[in-house]
Structures are given as C-alpha cells and as structure tokens.
Amino acid sequence: MSGFRNPDLHCHSNRSDGFLAPGQVVERALANGVDLLALTDHDEVSGIDEALAAAEGTALRLLPGVEISVSFAGETIHIVGLDIDHRDADLVAALRDLRAGRSERASRMSDELARCGIRGALAGARALARNPELVSRAHFARYIVSTGLMPDVKTVFDHYLATGKPGYVEHQWSVLEDAVGWIRGAGGLAVLAHPARYRLSATQMKALLDRFQAAGGEGIEVVGGAHTPEEMQRFATVARQRHLLASRASDFHGVDESRVDLGGCNPLPQDLVPVWSRFCEVAQTR
Ligand code: AMP
Ligand code: MN
Ligand code: MN
Ligand code: MN
C-alpha cells in the first residue's frame, strides 16, 4: 500500500465525540499495527499536539487532521483535512467560529428535546463532553441512553436526532468551498468523508463532487467504517472516474460505538491511487 502497511486516515478523540484521549488513540492505533494515523476531530484541532507527542519515536506517523462540518443542499457534509498545519491562523479562527455555532445549536437542540419530554439534555450532554466547546449530537444521544429512555445511540438517532426527527434542529455549518480553502490554506489535503452517508440525489451528489474538486478537493473515502462493500465499490468507481485519491478511514470513536476498530478497515482496491501516496516522501516533522 504505497509505503504504509496499515493507514487509518480518520478517527476521533475526546476533544470531539470520541471516547479516548488523543494519546490513548495513538496507543490503541499502535497496538493495532497502524503505521499512518490521522486524528480528525470534528471542527477541532486541540488534540493534535498530544497525539503528536504520543506518536513521537514510535512506529506510527501521526498526521494532523480535522473533520470540518459543511452545509450542502440541506444536508451536513464532512470534509476531512489531512496533513494540515494545525496552527494556521485562518483555519484556527474558522474552527473557533464553527464551535461557537455548535454551542448555540446545542441550546436549541435541548429546547427541542424538552418539547419531546426529554429534560436536562443540555446539561446531560455537556457533562459527557470532555471539551466544553465541542458538544456533538453523539453526546446528546449518549445522555438519552443514560436516562434509560432508549437502548442505544443508534436508536436515539433514529427516533430523535437524525435529520428531520423531532430533536433535530437545522443548523448552518460552513460553505464547502470555504472548508476546502481553509484546509488547503493550512497546507493540507481535502478528502470527502463517508460519501455514502449523505442523503443526496444523483444530481446533488454530482454537484457536490464537481464543486469539491473545483475548490481543490483531492480525495474521497472509499474504504471505511461507514461503508458497506457495495458502497465501497460505488465510490471506488467514483474515485477512478474522477481521478480522486482514495482514502481508508475507520472513523473510530470508541469500542462501544464503532463497527471498525483503528486500523481495522479492509484494504483499498489495488488499482486506486491511495491518499497516502502523497505522504510517503514527506519529512515527518514540519
Ligand atoms: P454533529 O456533528 O454534532 O451533528 O454529530 C455528528 C456525529 O453524531 C457523527 O460524527 C457521529 O459521531 C454521530 N452520529 C451521526 N449519526 C449517527 C447514527 N445514525 N448513529 C450513531 N451515531 C451517529
Ligand atoms: Mn462523530
Ligand atoms: Mn463524519
Ligand atoms: Mn468522523
């Protein structure tokens, strides 16, 4: 696989909605044989320094990364940035604005959930979020599970938190071109995350890919925790047709909530050009 045996280019720590601290993510990845890992917390880079420190001197190369929330055609799209300068001033400022929007959204979500009879959701979700600036729907879902109302996080999403459900609130995230621009401005490579997860028509998906590439987006997740084998094949075809770099991405959040462990994804189809072909010759430190 172009110099790396087991790359995993998308995962979360407790700086967003993952369960492990950044250093623990690196330790688990190492134990699983990952040799190239990107930590990609939602709208947040505050875990990168801890992850870099944990990876130093080990067999694992840590790529600073981020997963940026974007609004597109009424759907939330995620753009992963890889090998970013996580101190880039424009990127840092943009992510701070996105996190401020999250706090405001969390209040509105809590109000909606209260209308459904679920009380104390904001305090409950905040208590579960290790980063006060990063309350995600996952924290709301975990709180609702903790009250005993629902058996698991997936059921909470199906009933309350997925798009259009009673606890869902509309929210304006970033603009696609801006998100790709912040990543590129920080020296990074932009990758479209889990494309099969978006509820877009064929026309809308084409427009998304056209605009993503026109903005300078270069990669797409093909193999990952979010994709079935059929979805993997579908987006392998997209990568071939559009000459996109292909990524392999567990999207690991924690053992209880992730189908695929760190480094546990299937290999990429052999003929695709892997995203990490870009990272083979580059020096380890910037
Ligand atoms: P947010 O960025 O706050 O809207 O939260 C999105 C996060 O919620 C995702 O990154 C997942 O961690 C989690 N999530 C979204 N949909 C589901 C689902 N159907 N089941 C479980 N977790 C989900
Ligand atoms: Mn998440
Ligand atoms: Mn995502
Ligand atoms: Mn993710």
Side-chain angles (χ1 to χ4, degrees), residues 37-121:
L37 181 74
L39 178 64
T40 56
D41 277 312
H42 297 286
D43 308 320
E44 177 62 287
V45 289
S46 64
I48 299 296
D49 284 327
E50 181 183 325
L52 282 170
E56 200 171 324
T58 74
L60 181 150
R61 179 167 165 208
L62 193 281
L63 291 177
V66 67
E67 181 173 18
I68 302 183
S69 311
V70 166
S71 294
F72 180 92
E75 184 73 341
T76 301
I77 304 297
H78 286 167
I79 305 293
V80 161
L82 299 175
D83 200 26
I84 51 168
D85 172 2
H86 60 293
R87 296 196 182 85
D88 179 87
D90 290 340
L91 174 68
V92 165
L95 298 180
R96 192 183 301 123
D97 286 348
L98 279 168
R99 293 196 300 278
R102 272 185 180 275
S103 297
E104 174 270 328
R105 179 189 71 148
S107 300
R108 287 188 288 124
M109 275 177 65
S110 186
D111 293 345
E112 285 305 312
L113 289 166
R115 272 189 260 286
C116 305
I118 299 170
R119 306 174 94 76

Side-chain angles (χ1 to χ4, degrees), residues 144-258:
I144 293 169
V145 172
S146 78
T147 66
L149 184 67
M150 296 261 133
D152 54 51
V153 159
K154 185 187 178 305
T155 311
V156 181
F157 271 90
D158 291 347
H159 281 78
Y160 291 109
L161 299 182
T163 312
K165 298 296 175 183
Y168 178 83
V169 297
E170 294 292 334
H171 185 69
Q172 200 59 46
W173 297 105
S174 60
V175 173
L176 176 63
E177 285 78 3
D178 290 343
V180 174
W182 298 325
I183 290 166
R184 286 167 59 81
L189 189 153
V191 178
L192 181 63
H194 42 63
R197 291 278 69 82
Y198 309 131
R199 295 167 321 140
L200 298 175
S201 68
T203 310
Q204 288 170 323
M205 178 57 79
K206 181 181 180 305
L208 171 63
L209 289 161
D210 286 348
R211 277 179 53 184
F212 173 69
Q213 289 190 274
E218 296 174 272
I220 188 166
E221 289 181 0
V222 171
V223 172
H227 285 181
T228 65
E230 295 72 30
E231 290 165 342
M232 188 279 281
Q233 291 297 348
R234 178 176 163 216
F235 287 98
T237 303
V238 169
R240 280 181 201 108
Q241 289 174 341
R242 288 179 170 266
H243 304 288
L244 284 161
L245 299 167
S247 193
R248 178 173 185 262
S250 67
D251 202 2
F252 181 77
H253 284 69
V255 278
D256 292 338
E257 281 184 23
S258 300

